[in-house]
Amino acid sequence: MLREHRRWFTVALLASLTLSWGTGSQAQPAGTARITGELPIDAVTVYSGLASVTRSGEIDIPAGTSTLVLENLPAGLNPAMLQLAINDTSVQFSNLRIQENFPDNSEGNAGNTRESELRDQLQTLQDQRLVIVDHIATAQSGLRLLDSLTGGDAGSRTAVNADELATLISVMSENSALARERIRSANIELRTLDQQINEVQFQLDQVASNQRITSRVSINLQSSNAVSTHVSLTYPQGDVSWTWLYEARLDTLSRSLRLFRQAAISQGTGEDWQNVSLTLSTATPSANPTTPELQPLFVDTQRRRPVAQQRADGIEEVVATGSFIRRPASPGFNAATTIDTRYQVDYLIPGRISLTADRQQQIFPVDRIETNVTLVSRAVPSRIAQAYLEARFDYTGESPIQNARMQLYRDNAFIGSAPVQQMLPGQSVRIPFGVDERLEVARFDEQQESGSTGIFNRADVREERIRYEITSRHPDSVQVEVLDQIPVSRNEDITVQIPREATDADEADVGGEAGLMLWRVNLLPQGTATVRHYYDIRYPQGTEIFVSP
């Protein structure tokens, strides 16, 4: 319903008469009725960094020619993005004009008076802060002077008798202690004053966020008869944003995962949104909508050193099992209505919402997802002798889940947060859940174990012999994956071979990454799995090789 309503706005605007825009006041034709009023904000759609605000209401329009004047609209309205719709097709409109109204700066203006009071209070506190800073600087200068009197060249000092020396030491000690006490007291005052400055600045930001300049929109109307009809005006507003807040809760006993999604919204548009219909949209109107263009590439004979490619952090696509389940939300959880298209998703927050223009975040629940998962512990022993638990499932939902940072809970214990990539329908998903402390991971260099140098060089072969052992202390069987890599040759004279005694990998070039190898094992309680990671590098005699990312 919301999307159809928005399309009707556009159709109504395009089908209307040509509009003319202006900023100054124009004389109203003689005999023309004037209809003055305000349309309350009824609906808001929030994008990334932008909001589409719709004001609407019932307007009584007389027969014949009239002028509709809409007051107290925000300043800076963009005529090209203003959308006006009148529900009754018998009413024609034209000659739409925008006029800005500057604020009343008289003392009777309560908003301006409050802002002036706060600005004066802030200036007074800042002046007091400067005085305290000056006192600290003066006391520090005194300490440096006292230090200079006690130092310097002994031969250049004037001789003094014992009584004078005792008096001098007493005075210097007293002055030094007094200066240090002044510095301590001033620093305490400074901290208190900074807190007061922050509080006043916060209050000022809230007051100053309100619009000081308003706009008036005048529209010439022509109606064949008197009607009461629905009128709406839609315009964009900046200084607004929303972000995802994700929470994942894993129950390892039932092997189920609950994913909660919430949205944090803040706005400083200068208009309070009171009792509005609120929609969050994943569309990005601020992004460049055009396809990028490619420029010609040229090649010459200069040899360039290849740039090492870095592996992107994030969730890899791997084959996983799990069934996606949508269950009714728990009591008290009122999920948003999802409006899905092929290219964007909108979320209509239930009920009517109020958001003040104070840039403070408000959080709204969006939905909850529950799914069965497969638990797999993955180890990368060449980096760290630990295994990490992952929950895996196939996402079969209908709407994409956007990327965001996720708070992670394992068996009701908070274990940290991690970024998650966008989940698209049909994708396999891995979500990390921290260290598996019931798995012991050990790495052995077999050459060092036999007493040799570990990695020994022949004339044309470098041999790598590493053994990994993973032992389970779980009461049940667990699935474990071991991940490592072999170097990939960039030179046709260098070859990398895996000897027959090595443990065969279950998957090579994991995730499309050359040389990445994966071994899968199912460990029984108190069981141990061994992975022999062997490879040979063969290269021409008399040359040196190096292994790098």
Side-chain angles (χ1 to χ4, degrees), residues 181-215:
E181 176 61 27
R182 286 176 177 173
I183 292 174
R184 285 194 296 270
S185 299
N187 281 325
I188 294 174
E189 291 182 44
L190 205 59
R191 286 195 297 269
T192 303
L193 202 58
D194 285 340
Q195 292 177 354
Q196 295 176 358
I197 290 174
N198 290 335
E199 292 174 0
V200 174
Q201 184 65 62
F202 175 76
Q203 297 178 38
L204 181 60
D205 288 341
Q206 290 181 303
V207 173
S209 66
N210 295 325
Q211 291 284 350
R212 287 293 170 260
I213 302 175
T214 62
S215 294

PDB file of all heavy atoms in Angstrom, residues 181-215:
ATOM      1  N   GLU A 181      49.502  23.610  45.091  1.00  0.00           N
ATOM      2  CA  GLU A 181      48.124  23.503  45.560  1.00  0.00           C
ATOM      3  C   GLU A 181      47.181  24.269  44.623  1.00  0.00           C
ATOM      4  O   GLU A 181      46.073  23.807  44.323  1.00  0.00           O
ATOM      5  CB  GLU A 181      48.029  24.052  46.983  1.00  0.00           C
ATOM      6  CG  GLU A 181      46.608  24.085  47.555  1.00  0.00           C
ATOM      7  CD  GLU A 181      45.990  22.698  47.644  1.00  0.00           C
ATOM      8  OE1 GLU A 181      46.750  21.710  47.774  1.00  0.00           O
ATOM      9  OE2 GLU A 181      44.743  22.595  47.557  1.00  0.00           O
ATOM     10  N   ARG A 182      47.629  25.448  44.164  1.00  0.00           N
ATOM     11  CA  ARG A 182      46.811  26.216  43.228  1.00  0.00           C
ATOM     12  C   ARG A 182      46.596  25.446  41.922  1.00  0.00           C
ATOM     13  O   ARG A 182      45.507  25.457  41.355  1.00  0.00           O
ATOM     14  CB  ARG A 182      47.485  27.557  42.942  1.00  0.00           C
ATOM     15  CG  ARG A 182      47.393  28.555  44.097  1.00  0.00           C
ATOM     16  CD  ARG A 182      48.159  29.821  43.764  1.00  0.00           C
ATOM     17  NE  ARG A 182      48.027  30.818  44.836  1.00  0.00           N
ATOM     18  CZ  ARG A 182      48.702  31.962  44.855  1.00  0.00           C
ATOM     19  NH1 ARG A 182      49.549  32.252  43.865  1.00  0.00           N
ATOM     20  NH2 ARG A 182      48.529  32.813  45.849  1.00  0.00           N
ATOM     21  N   ILE A 183      47.639  24.775  41.442  1.00  0.00           N
ATOM     22  CA  ILE A 183      47.522  24.008  40.195  1.00  0.00           C
ATOM     23  C   ILE A 183      46.547  22.856  40.373  1.00  0.00           C
ATOM     24  O   ILE A 183      45.697  22.599  39.515  1.00  0.00           O
ATOM     25  CB  ILE A 183      48.912  23.511  39.748  1.00  0.00           C
ATOM     26  CG1 ILE A 183      49.795  24.695  39.326  1.00  0.00           C
ATOM     27  CG2 ILE A 183      48.780  22.508  38.596  1.00  0.00           C
ATOM     28  CD1 ILE A 183      51.224  24.307  39.005  1.00  0.00           C
ATOM     29  N   ARG A 184      46.649  22.131  41.501  1.00  0.00           N
ATOM     30  CA  ARG A 184      45.729  21.021  41.749  1.00  0.00           C
ATOM     31  C   ARG A 184      44.288  21.502  41.820  1.00  0.00           C
ATOM     32  O   ARG A 184      43.373  20.914  41.222  1.00  0.00           O
ATOM     33  CB  ARG A 184      46.116  20.296  43.041  1.00  0.00           C
ATOM     34  CG  ARG A 184      47.359  19.410  42.912  1.00  0.00           C
ATOM     35  CD  ARG A 184      47.485  18.477  44.117  1.00  0.00           C
ATOM     36  NE  ARG A 184      47.692  19.230  45.358  1.00  0.00           N
ATOM     37  CZ  ARG A 184      48.883  19.563  45.845  1.00  0.00           C
ATOM     38  NH1 ARG A 184      49.974  19.211  45.182  1.00  0.00           N
ATOM     39  NH2 ARG A 184      48.983  20.219  46.975  1.00  0.00           N
ATOM     40  N   SER A 185      44.060  22.585  42.563  1.00  0.00           N
ATOM     41  CA  SER A 185      42.692  23.103  42.704  1.00  0.00           C
ATOM     42  C   SER A 185      42.156  23.596  41.361  1.00  0.00           C
ATOM     43  O   SER A 185      40.975  23.381  41.027  1.00  0.00           O
ATOM     44  CB  SER A 185      42.672  24.247  43.719  1.00  0.00           C
ATOM     45  OG  SER A 185      43.103  23.795  44.993  1.00  0.00           O
ATOM     46  N   ALA A 186      43.028  24.235  40.586  1.00  0.00           N
ATOM     47  CA  ALA A 186      42.592  24.741  39.282  1.00  0.00           C
ATOM     48  C   ALA A 186      42.226  23.606  38.337  1.00  0.00           C
ATOM     49  O   ALA A 186      41.261  23.710  37.569  1.00  0.00           O
ATOM     50  CB  ALA A 186      43.692  25.612  38.681  1.00  0.00           C
ATOM     51  N   ASN A 187      42.980  22.520  38.370  1.00  0.00           N
ATOM     52  CA  ASN A 187      42.670  21.365  37.509  1.00  0.00           C
ATOM     53  C   ASN A 187      41.329  20.740  37.884  1.00  0.00           C
ATOM     54  O   ASN A 187      40.559  20.310  37.018  1.00  0.00           O
ATOM     55  CB  ASN A 187      43.783  20.325  37.592  1.00  0.00           C
ATOM     56  CG  ASN A 187      44.988  20.702  36.739  1.00  0.00           C
ATOM     57  OD1 ASN A 187      44.837  21.283  35.665  1.00  0.00           O
ATOM     58  ND2 ASN A 187      46.182  20.390  37.224  1.00  0.00           N
ATOM     59  N   ILE A 188      41.030  20.710  39.197  1.00  0.00           N
ATOM     60  CA  ILE A 188      39.737  20.195  39.645  1.00  0.00           C
ATOM     61  C   ILE A 188      38.612  21.105  39.138  1.00  0.00           C
ATOM     62  O   ILE A 188      37.583  20.644  38.634  1.00  0.00           O
ATOM     63  CB  ILE A 188      39.704  20.070  41.172  1.00  0.00           C
ATOM     64  CG1 ILE A 188      40.706  18.990  41.641  1.00  0.00           C
ATOM     65  CG2 ILE A 188      38.298  19.740  41.667  1.00  0.00           C
ATOM     66  CD1 ILE A 188      40.857  18.901  43.151  1.00  0.00           C
ATOM     67  N   GLU A 189      38.802  22.419  39.276  1.00  0.00           N
ATOM     68  CA  GLU A 189      37.800  23.357  38.767  1.00  0.00           C
ATOM     69  C   GLU A 189      37.631  23.213  37.265  1.00  0.00           C
ATOM     70  O   GLU A 189      36.519  23.318  36.732  1.00  0.00           O
ATOM     71  CB  GLU A 189      38.225  24.791  39.099  1.00  0.00           C
ATOM     72  CG  GLU A 189      38.170  25.139  40.577  1.00  0.00           C
ATOM     73  CD  GLU A 189      38.564  26.587  40.813  1.00  0.00           C
ATOM     74  OE1 GLU A 189      38.101  27.464  40.042  1.00  0.00           O
ATOM     75  OE2 GLU A 189      39.343  26.853  41.744  1.00  0.00           O
ATOM     76  N   LEU A 190      38.741  22.964  36.568  1.00  0.00           N
ATOM     77  CA  LEU A 190      38.703  22.840  35.114  1.00  0.00           C
ATOM     78  C   LEU A 190      37.867  21.636  34.691  1.00  0.00           C
ATOM     79  O   LEU A 190      37.066  21.718  33.741  1.00  0.00           O
ATOM     80  CB  LEU A 190      40.128  22.725  34.578  1.00  0.00           C
ATOM     81  CG  LEU A 190      40.360  23.168  33.124  1.00  0.00           C
ATOM     82  CD1 LEU A 190      39.959  24.609  32.928  1.00  0.00           C
ATOM     83  CD2 LEU A 190      41.826  22.960  32.759  1.00  0.00           C
ATOM     84  N   ARG A 191      38.028  20.519  35.398  1.00  0.00           N
ATOM     85  CA  ARG A 191      37.244  19.326  35.068  1.00  0.00           C
ATOM     86  C   ARG A 191      35.754  19.577  35.293  1.00  0.00           C
ATOM     87  O   ARG A 191      34.906  19.195  34.476  1.00  0.00           O
ATOM     88  CB  ARG A 191      37.718  18.133  35.896  1.00  0.00           C
ATOM     89  CG  ARG A 191      39.050  17.553  35.458  1.00  0.00           C
ATOM     90  CD  ARG A 191      39.279  16.176  36.060  1.00  0.00           C
ATOM     91  NE  ARG A 191      39.358  16.220  37.511  1.00  0.00           N
ATOM     92  CZ  ARG A 191      40.489  16.382  38.185  1.00  0.00           C
ATOM     93  NH1 ARG A 191      41.634  16.548  37.539  1.00  0.00           N
ATOM     94  NH2 ARG A 191      40.493  16.392  39.500  1.00  0.00           N
ATOM     95  N   THR A 192      35.427  20.217  36.425  1.00  0.00           N
ATOM     96  CA  THR A 192      34.020  20.525  36.700  1.00  0.00           C
ATOM     97  C   THR A 192      33.448  21.477  35.652  1.00  0.00           C
ATOM     98  O   THR A 192      32.324  21.298  35.165  1.00  0.00           O
ATOM     99  CB  THR A 192      33.889  21.154  38.099  1.00  0.00           C
ATOM    100  OG1 THR A 192      34.433  20.258  39.078  1.00  0.00           O
ATOM    101  CG2 THR A 192      32.434  21.436  38.424  1.00  0.00           C
ATOM    102  N   LEU A 193      34.249  22.459  35.272  1.00  0.00           N
ATOM    103  CA  LEU A 193      33.792  23.434  34.287  1.00  0.00           C
ATOM    104  C   LEU A 193      33.600  22.785  32.913  1.00  0.00           C
ATOM    105  O   LEU A 193      32.647  23.097  32.187  1.00  0.00           O
ATOM    106  CB  LEU A 193      34.805  24.576  34.199  1.00  0.00           C
ATOM    107  CG  LEU A 193      34.302  25.916  33.647  1.00  0.00           C
ATOM    108  CD1 LEU A 193      33.142  26.437  34.475  1.00  0.00           C
ATOM    109  CD2 LEU A 193      35.442  26.928  33.635  1.00  0.00           C
ATOM    110  N   ASP A 194      34.468  21.864  32.542  1.00  0.00           N
ATOM    111  CA  ASP A 194      34.333  21.163  31.260  1.00  0.00           C
ATOM    112  C   ASP A 194      33.042  20.350  31.212  1.00  0.00           C
ATOM    113  O   ASP A 194      32.380  20.271  30.169  1.00  0.00           O
ATOM    114  CB  ASP A 194      35.542  20.260  31.014  1.00  0.00           C
ATOM    115  CG  ASP A 194      36.787  21.047  30.615  1.00  0.00           C
ATOM    116  OD1 ASP A 194      36.633  22.200  30.168  1.00  0.00           O
ATOM    117  OD2 ASP A 194      37.909  20.512  30.747  1.00  0.00           O
ATOM    118  N   GLN A 195      32.693  19.736  32.332  1.00  0.00           N
ATOM    119  CA  GLN A 195      31.429  18.999  32.387  1.00  0.00           C
ATOM    120  C   GLN A 195      30.247  19.940  32.179  1.00  0.00           C
ATOM    121  O   GLN A 195      29.293  19.623  31.440  1.00  0.00           O
ATOM    122  CB  GLN A 195      31.306  18.267  33.719  1.00  0.00           C
ATOM    123  CG  GLN A 195      32.293  17.115  33.906  1.00  0.00           C
ATOM    124  CD  GLN A 195      32.177  16.460  35.264  1.00  0.00           C
ATOM    125  OE1 GLN A 195      31.426  16.922  36.129  1.00  0.00           O
ATOM    126  NE2 GLN A 195      32.929  15.387  35.469  1.00  0.00           N
ATOM    127  N   GLN A 196      30.294  21.119  32.812  1.00  0.00           N
ATOM    128  CA  GLN A 196      29.212  22.086  32.643  1.00  0.00           C
ATOM    129  C   GLN A 196      29.141  22.585  31.202  1.00  0.00           C
ATOM    130  O   GLN A 196      28.051  22.746  30.641  1.00  0.00           O
ATOM    131  CB  GLN A 196      29.411  23.256  33.607  1.00  0.00           C
ATOM    132  CG  GLN A 196      29.312  22.872  35.078  1.00  0.00           C
ATOM    133  CD  GLN A 196      29.625  24.046  35.996  1.00  0.00           C
ATOM    134  OE1 GLN A 196      29.949  25.138  35.538  1.00  0.00           O
ATOM    135  NE2 GLN A 196      29.534  23.818  37.301  1.00  0.00           N
ATOM    136  N   ILE A 197      30.298  22.808  30.589  1.00  0.00           N
ATOM    137  CA  ILE A 197      30.332  23.255  29.195  1.00  0.00           C
ATOM    138  C   ILE A 197      29.715  22.198  28.279  1.00  0.00           C
ATOM    139  O   ILE A 197      28.929  22.516  27.376  1.00  0.00           O
ATOM    140  CB  ILE A 197      31.777  23.588  28.766  1.00  0.00           C
ATOM    141  CG1 ILE A 197      32.260  24.856  29.476  1.00  0.00           C
ATOM    142  CG2 ILE A 197      31.880  23.743  27.256  1.00  0.00           C
ATOM    143  CD1 ILE A 197      33.720  25.183  29.230  1.00  0.00           C
ATOM    144  N   ASN A 198      30.043  20.934  28.520  1.00  0.00           N
ATOM    145  CA  ASN A 198      29.479  19.857  27.697  1.00  0.00           C
ATOM    146  C   ASN A 198      27.964  19.767  27.854  1.00  0.00           C
ATOM    147  O   ASN A 198      27.241  19.537  26.876  1.00  0.00           O
ATOM    148  CB  ASN A 198      30.134  18.523  28.059  1.00  0.00           C
ATOM    149  CG  ASN A 198      31.588  18.450  27.624  1.00  0.00           C
ATOM    150  OD1 ASN A 198      32.004  19.144  26.688  1.00  0.00           O
ATOM    151  ND2 ASN A 198      32.368  17.616  28.294  1.00  0.00           N
ATOM    152  N   GLU A 199      27.480  19.944  29.078  1.00  0.00           N
ATOM    153  CA  GLU A 199      26.035  19.878  29.307  1.00  0.00           C
ATOM    154  C   GLU A 199      25.305  21.026  28.607  1.00  0.00           C
ATOM    155  O   GLU A 199      24.263  20.816  27.966  1.00  0.00           O
ATOM    156  CB  GLU A 199      25.750  19.911  30.813  1.00  0.00           C
ATOM    157  CG  GLU A 199      26.208  18.655  31.549  1.00  0.00           C
ATOM    158  CD  GLU A 199      26.038  18.778  33.058  1.00  0.00           C
ATOM    159  OE1 GLU A 199      25.563  19.846  33.502  1.00  0.00           O
ATOM    160  OE2 GLU A 199      26.372  17.816  33.770  1.00  0.00           O
ATOM    161  N   VAL A 200      25.854  22.228  28.710  1.00  0.00           N
ATOM    162  CA  VAL A 200      25.217  23.369  28.055  1.00  0.00           C
ATOM    163  C   VAL A 200      25.293  23.221  26.536  1.00  0.00           C
ATOM    164  O   VAL A 200      24.334  23.536  25.822  1.00  0.00           O
ATOM    165  CB  VAL A 200      25.879  24.690  28.514  1.00  0.00           C
ATOM    166  CG1 VAL A 200      25.321  25.872  27.728  1.00  0.00           C
ATOM    167  CG2 VAL A 200      25.664  24.902  29.999  1.00  0.00           C
ATOM    168  N   GLN A 201      26.420  22.736  26.023  1.00  0.00           N
ATOM    169  CA  GLN A 201      26.558  22.534  24.580  1.00  0.00           C
ATOM    170  C   GLN A 201      25.540  21.518  24.079  1.00  0.00           C
ATOM    171  O   GLN A 201      24.967  21.675  22.987  1.00  0.00           O
ATOM    172  CB  GLN A 201      27.981  22.062  24.265  1.00  0.00           C
ATOM    173  CG  GLN A 201      28.270  21.917  22.768  1.00  0.00           C
ATOM    174  CD  GLN A 201      28.219  23.249  22.048  1.00  0.00           C
ATOM    175  OE1 GLN A 201      28.989  24.157  22.340  1.00  0.00           O
ATOM    176  NE2 GLN A 201      27.306  23.370  21.088  1.00  0.00           N
ATOM    177  N   PHE A 202      25.317  20.458  24.874  1.00  0.00           N
ATOM    178  CA  PHE A 202      24.322  19.449  24.505  1.00  0.00           C
ATOM    179  C   PHE A 202      22.923  20.068  24.424  1.00  0.00           C
ATOM    180  O   PHE A 202      22.178  19.832  23.471  1.00  0.00           O
ATOM    181  CB  PHE A 202      24.349  18.312  25.517  1.00  0.00           C
ATOM    182  CG  PHE A 202      23.283  17.266  25.289  1.00  0.00           C
ATOM    183  CD1 PHE A 202      23.404  16.335  24.277  1.00  0.00           C
ATOM    184  CD2 PHE A 202      22.151  17.240  26.093  1.00  0.00           C
ATOM    185  CE1 PHE A 202      22.418  15.385  24.058  1.00  0.00           C
ATOM    186  CE2 PHE A 202      21.164  16.295  25.882  1.00  0.00           C
ATOM    187  CZ  PHE A 202      21.304  15.364  24.861  1.00  0.00           C
ATOM    188  N   GLN A 203      22.562  20.878  25.422  1.00  0.00           N
ATOM    189  CA  GLN A 203      21.256  21.541  25.402  1.00  0.00           C
ATOM    190  C   GLN A 203      21.139  22.496  24.226  1.00  0.00           C
ATOM    191  O   GLN A 203      20.091  22.589  23.577  1.00  0.00           O
ATOM    192  CB  GLN A 203      21.033  22.289  26.715  1.00  0.00           C
ATOM    193  CG  GLN A 203      20.980  21.396  27.947  1.00  0.00           C
ATOM    194  CD  GLN A 203      20.812  22.191  29.227  1.00  0.00           C
ATOM    195  OE1 GLN A 203      20.098  23.192  29.263  1.00  0.00           O
ATOM    196  NE2 GLN A 203      21.483  21.774  30.291  1.00  0.00           N
ATOM    197  N   LEU A 204      22.227  23.197  23.922  1.00  0.00           N
ATOM    198  CA  LEU A 204      22.211  24.136  22.811  1.00  0.00           C
ATOM    199  C   LEU A 204      22.044  23.407  21.487  1.00  0.00           C
ATOM    200  O   LEU A 204      21.324  23.875  20.592  1.00  0.00           O
ATOM    201  CB  LEU A 204      23.498  24.959  22.807  1.00  0.00           C
ATOM    202  CG  LEU A 204      23.635  26.013  21.702  1.00  0.00           C
ATOM    203  CD1 LEU A 204      22.508  27.023  21.789  1.00  0.00           C
ATOM    204  CD2 LEU A 204      24.991  26.695  21.789  1.00  0.00           C
ATOM    205  N   ASP A 205      22.690  22.252  21.343  1.00  0.00           N
ATOM    206  CA  ASP A 205      22.560  21.473  20.108  1.00  0.00           C
ATOM    207  C   ASP A 205      21.111  21.056  19.885  1.00  0.00           C
ATOM    208  O   ASP A 205      20.621  21.041  18.750  1.00  0.00           O
ATOM    209  CB  ASP A 205      23.453  20.234  20.159  1.00  0.00           C
ATOM    210  CG  ASP A 205      24.933  20.591  20.022  1.00  0.00           C
ATOM    211  OD1 ASP A 205      25.223  21.704  19.545  1.00  0.00           O
ATOM    212  OD2 ASP A 205      25.779  19.760  20.397  1.00  0.00           O
ATOM    213  N   GLN A 206      20.429  20.711  20.979  1.00  0.00           N
ATOM    214  CA  GLN A 206      19.033  20.305  20.840  1.00  0.00           C
ATOM    215  C   GLN A 206      18.155  21.475  20.401  1.00  0.00           C
ATOM    216  O   GLN A 206      17.298  21.335  19.521  1.00  0.00           O
ATOM    217  CB  GLN A 206      18.511  19.732  22.160  1.00  0.00           C
ATOM    218  CG  GLN A 206      19.125  18.377  22.516  1.00  0.00           C
ATOM    219  CD  GLN A 206      18.568  17.833  23.810  1.00  0.00           C
ATOM    220  OE1 GLN A 206      18.643  18.472  24.837  1.00  0.00           O
ATOM    221  NE2 GLN A 206      18.012  16.648  23.758  1.00  0.00           N
ATOM    222  N   VAL A 207      18.383  22.635  20.999  1.00  0.00           N
ATOM    223  CA  VAL A 207      17.579  23.802  20.639  1.00  0.00           C
ATOM    224  C   VAL A 207      17.939  24.292  19.242  1.00  0.00           C
ATOM    225  O   VAL A 207      17.077  24.616  18.428  1.00  0.00           O
ATOM    226  CB  VAL A 207      17.776  24.933  21.681  1.00  0.00           C
ATOM    227  CG1 VAL A 207      17.081  26.201  21.232  1.00  0.00           C
ATOM    228  CG2 VAL A 207      17.259  24.485  23.037  1.00  0.00           C
ATOM    229  N   ALA A 208      19.231  24.317  18.939  1.00  0.00           N
ATOM    230  CA  ALA A 208      19.689  24.856  17.659  1.00  0.00           C
ATOM    231  C   ALA A 208      19.316  23.962  16.493  1.00  0.00           C
ATOM    232  O   ALA A 208      19.370  24.378  15.353  1.00  0.00           O
ATOM    233  CB  ALA A 208      21.206  25.057  17.693  1.00  0.00           C
ATOM    234  N   SER A 209      18.961  22.687  16.775  1.00  0.00           N
ATOM    235  CA  SER A 209      18.603  21.792  15.680  1.00  0.00           C
ATOM    236  C   SER A 209      17.249  22.150  15.081  1.00  0.00           C
ATOM    237  O   SER A 209      16.899  21.701  14.004  1.00  0.00           O
ATOM    238  CB  SER A 209      18.582  20.336  16.164  1.00  0.00           C
ATOM    239  OG  SER A 209      17.548  20.149  17.100  1.00  0.00           O
ATOM    240  N   ASN A 210      16.433  22.950  15.804  1.00  0.00           N
ATOM    241  CA  ASN A 210      15.136  23.352  15.261  1.00  0.00           C
ATOM    242  C   ASN A 210      15.314  24.375  14.144  1.00  0.00           C
ATOM    243  O   ASN A 210      16.216  25.208  14.179  1.00  0.00           O
ATOM    244  CB  ASN A 210      14.269  23.968  16.367  1.00  0.00           C
ATOM    245  CG  ASN A 210      13.935  22.938  17.427  1.00  0.00           C
ATOM    246  OD1 ASN A 210      13.755  21.778  17.121  1.00  0.00           O
ATOM    247  ND2 ASN A 210      13.881  23.390  18.677  1.00  0.00           N
ATOM    248  N   GLN A 211      14.439  24.324  13.144  1.00  0.00           N
ATOM    249  CA  GLN A 211      14.533  25.241  12.015  1.00  0.00           C
ATOM    250  C   GLN A 211      14.256  26.667  12.485  1.00  0.00           C
ATOM    251  O   GLN A 211      13.353  26.925  13.266  1.00  0.00           O
ATOM    252  CB  GLN A 211      13.522  24.841  10.941  1.00  0.00           C
ATOM    253  CG  GLN A 211      13.870  23.543  10.256  1.00  0.00           C
ATOM    254  CD  GLN A 211      14.997  23.711   9.257  1.00  0.00           C
ATOM    255  OE1 GLN A 211      15.389  24.832   8.957  1.00  0.00           O
ATOM    256  NE2 GLN A 211      15.511  22.623   8.738  1.00  0.00           N
ATOM    257  N   ARG A 212      15.040  27.598  11.975  1.00  0.00           N
ATOM    258  CA  ARG A 212      14.819  29.007  12.281  1.00  0.00           C
ATOM    259  C   ARG A 212      14.180  29.732  11.096  1.00  0.00           C
ATOM    260  O   ARG A 212      13.625  30.797  11.229  1.00  0.00           O
ATOM    261  CB  ARG A 212      16.160  29.663  12.656  1.00  0.00           C
ATOM    262  CG  ARG A 212      16.632  29.222  14.038  1.00  0.00           C
ATOM    263  CD  ARG A 212      15.683  29.758  15.087  1.00  0.00           C
ATOM    264  NE  ARG A 212      15.957  29.179  16.390  1.00  0.00           N
ATOM    265  CZ  ARG A 212      15.263  28.178  16.903  1.00  0.00           C
ATOM    266  NH1 ARG A 212      14.275  27.655  16.220  1.00  0.00           N
ATOM    267  NH2 ARG A 212      15.548  27.705  18.084  1.00  0.00           N
ATOM    268  N   ILE A 213      14.336  29.163   9.901  1.00  0.00           N
ATOM    269  CA  ILE A 213      13.720  29.731   8.711  1.00  0.00           C
ATOM    270  C   ILE A 213      12.696  28.734   8.204  1.00  0.00           C
ATOM    271  O   ILE A 213      12.978  27.546   8.092  1.00  0.00           O
ATOM    272  CB  ILE A 213      14.776  30.018   7.623  1.00  0.00           C
ATOM    273  CG1 ILE A 213      15.854  30.973   8.165  1.00  0.00           C
ATOM    274  CG2 ILE A 213      14.125  30.620   6.386  1.00  0.00           C
ATOM    275  CD1 ILE A 213      16.986  31.204   7.202  1.00  0.00           C
ATOM    276  N   THR A 214      11.496  29.197   7.920  1.00  0.00           N
ATOM    277  CA  THR A 214      10.447  28.323   7.409  1.00  0.00           C
ATOM    278  C   THR A 214      10.083  28.724   5.994  1.00  0.00           C
ATOM    279  O   THR A 214      10.467  29.807   5.510  1.00  0.00           O
ATOM    280  CB  THR A 214       9.198  28.377   8.305  1.00  0.00           C
ATOM    281  OG1 THR A 214       8.691  29.719   8.300  1.00  0.00           O
ATOM    282  CG2 THR A 214       9.529  27.939   9.721  1.00  0.00           C
ATOM    283  N   SER A 215       9.351  27.841   5.347  1.00  0.00           N
ATOM    284  CA  SER A 215       8.904  28.098   3.979  1.00  0.00           C
ATOM    285  C   SER A 215       7.382  28.103   3.924  1.00  0.00           C
ATOM    286  O   SER A 215       6.712  27.457   4.732  1.00  0.00           O
ATOM    287  CB  SER A 215       9.451  27.030   3.018  1.00  0.00           C
ATOM    288  OG  SER A 215      10.847  27.121   2.918  1.00  0.00           O
TER     289      SER A 215
END
